[in-house]
């Protein structure tokens, strides 16, 4: 999707590079490409596109940035901003890609390519999501960016992909809550554990972690001495996940404590 989109954006550029520019690149290990020399806009843009097509993403980004610096009022500058953001993304320079995309949006808010810029920001956060054992700040930023894209441009193909990724992000955040809740359980801190499992049930109820969260709520409430709440959680679990191992466990617990699941 990304490559097709950026190919379309770059299609307006003539694919032929000046021979002198290419010769300079070959003899100076790419330094000639990015050193400040006043060049016409098409030469700079095409040099960036040439490097991008060959997987030299960092150099391509520098060249597209140079288009914007040398020709800020040219129609090419707008295209170059997005191409720069895409090049940084491909090079996994996520912070640079986000900054370039945000700069594009600040100047071209209503542009037809704005949805793509929002999508690129969301992807940069999404691809940095860490394991559930680590801090989830990036995961939350990914959630926010995906949500912003869907809110602003719900009918675009980018929003359709964002919805799929949103489900995965929510599942990841729910997994973090479960990990913390299980940690509190092992320490016998049943109230703190119950609060974490309740968050999963209330906030991430469509994720794969909900059945386990309900069963662990049963465990926590029984340990806290409030069987009525445990019975409510068990009933929800039985109604929605009757064939799961988590319901079987909660059913057994409730029978052992003289309650009904």
């Amino acid at each position: 999707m990304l490559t097709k989109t950026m190919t379309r954006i770059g299609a307006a550029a003539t694919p032929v590079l000046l021979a002198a520019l290419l010769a300079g690149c070959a003899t100076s290990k790419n330094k000639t490409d990015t050193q400040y020399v006043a060049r016409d806009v098409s030469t700079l843009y095409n040099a960036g596109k040439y490097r991008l097509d060959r997987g030299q993403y960092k150099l391509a980004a520098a060249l597209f940035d140079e288009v914007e610096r040398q020709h800020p009022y040219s129609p090419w500058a707008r295209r170059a901003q997005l191409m720069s953001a895409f090049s940084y993304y491909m090079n996994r320079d996520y912070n640079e890609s986000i900054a370039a995309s945000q700069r594009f949006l600040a100047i071209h808010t209503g542009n037809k390519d704005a949805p793509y810029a929002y999508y690129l920001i969301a992807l940069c956060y999404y691809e940095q999501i860490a394991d559930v054992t680590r801090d989830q700040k990036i995961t939350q930023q990914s959630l926010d960016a995906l949500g912003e894209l869907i809110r602003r441009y719900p009918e675009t193909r980018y929003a359709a992909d964002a919805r799929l990724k949103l489900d995965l992000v929510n599942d990841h955040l729910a997994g973090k809550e479960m990990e913390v809740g299980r940690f509190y359980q092992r320490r016998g801190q049943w109230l703190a554990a119950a609060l974490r499992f309740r968050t999963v049930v209330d906030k991430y109820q469509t994720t794969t972690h909900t059945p386990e969260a309900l069963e662990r709520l049963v465990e926590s409430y029984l340990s806290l001495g409030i069987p009525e709440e445990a019975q409510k959680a068990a009933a929800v679990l039985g109604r929605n996940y009757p064939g799961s191992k988590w319901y079987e466990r909660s059913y057994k617990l409730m029978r052992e404590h003289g309650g009904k699941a």
Side-chain angles (χ1 to χ4, degrees):
M1 182 182 297
L2 292 174
T3 302
K4 291 181 179 178
T5 300
M6 299 319 297
T7 299
R8 174 179 58 77
I9 293 172
T14 306
V16 180
L17 295 173
L18 295 181
L21 176 62
L22 293 179
C25 295
T27 58
S28 62
K29 296 184 179 180
N30 300 335
K31 290 182 180 179
T32 301
D33 271 9
T34 54
Q35 69 183 17
Y36 186 84
V37 177
R39 301 178 187 141
D40 65 273
V41 66
S42 62
T43 298
L44 278 172
Y45 187 93
N46 283 320
K49 185 66 166 59
Y50 176 84
R51 294 297 175 184
L52 177 62
D53 291 343
R54 282 151 185 78
Q56 297 171 302
Y57 303 123
K58 188 171 184 177
L59 183 56
L63 285 161
F64 289 128
D65 286 343
E66 196 65 21
V67 172
E68 185 183 357
R69 281 193 292 270
Q70 290 194 28
H71 307 276
Y73 304 110
S74 166
W76 295 72
R78 174 182 57 79
R79 292 197 297 270
Q81 282 180 327
L82 272 186
M83 294 295 275
S84 172
F86 176 68
S87 299
Y88 281 125
Y89 165 78
M90 291 299 292
N91 201 51
R92 297 188 178 183
D93 292 333
Y94 296 121
N95 290 338
E96 293 289 346
S97 181
I98 290 169
S101 299
Q102 290 175 335
R103 188 166 64 251
F104 174 88
L105 290 169
I107 301 172
H108 310 288
T109 306
N111 186 271
K112 61 183 178 62
D113 290 316
Y116 178 76
Y118 278 105
Y119 180 63
L120 202 52
I121 291 170
L123 280 182
C124 287
Y125 287 126
Y126 181 80
E127 294 190 8
Q128 294 183 81
I129 291 177
D131 184 85
V132 293
T133 60
R134 300 184 180 181
D135 178 72
Q136 296 301 301
K137 180 181 178 181
I138 286 288
T139 310
Q140 186 60 52
Q141 288 174 313
S142 176
L143 187 73
D144 295 341
L146 290 166
E148 180 76 358
L149 170 60
I150 294 169
R151 184 182 67 80
R152 287 178 177 270
Y153 306 101
E155 304 303 321
T156 63
R157 56 177 175 165
Y158 304 119
D161 186 59
R163 290 186 185 94
L164 295 176
K165 287 180 169 54
L166 201 61
D167 289 340
L168 295 174
V169 172
N170 278 321
D171 203 79
H172 196 84
L173 289 170
K176 180 63 177 181
E177 294 293 330
M178 292 299 298
E179 184 203 21
V180 176
R182 288 190 292 264
F183 169 78
Y184 285 136
Q185 271 194 329
R186 290 192 295 270
R187 294 171 63 93
Q189 296 175 274
W190 299 106
L191 179 58
L195 290 174
R196 294 290 182 164
F197 299 137
R198 173 55 61 184
T199 296
V200 174
V201 173
D202 293 342
K203 193 174 179 180
Y204 305 110
Q205 58 186 260
T206 61
T207 69
T208 59
H209 298 281
T210 303
E212 182 186 352
L214 285 165
E215 191 278 333
R216 291 189 181 277
L217 272 177
V218 172
E219 294 179 29
S220 299
Y221 287 143
L222 288 174
S223 297
L224 286 167
I226 42 178
E228 299 83 2
E229 292 300 316
Q231 186 171 333
K232 290 178 184 178
V236 173
L237 182 55
R239 185 164 58 250
N240 292 281
Y241 308 96
S244 70
K245 67 177 182 179
W246 301 110
Y247 175 65
E248 292 177 4
R249 287 177 58 169
S250 69
Y251 181 84
K252 182 180 179 181
L253 280 170
M254 292 303 297
R255 291 293 297 270
E256 289 174 353
H257 285 78
K260 297 180 180 180

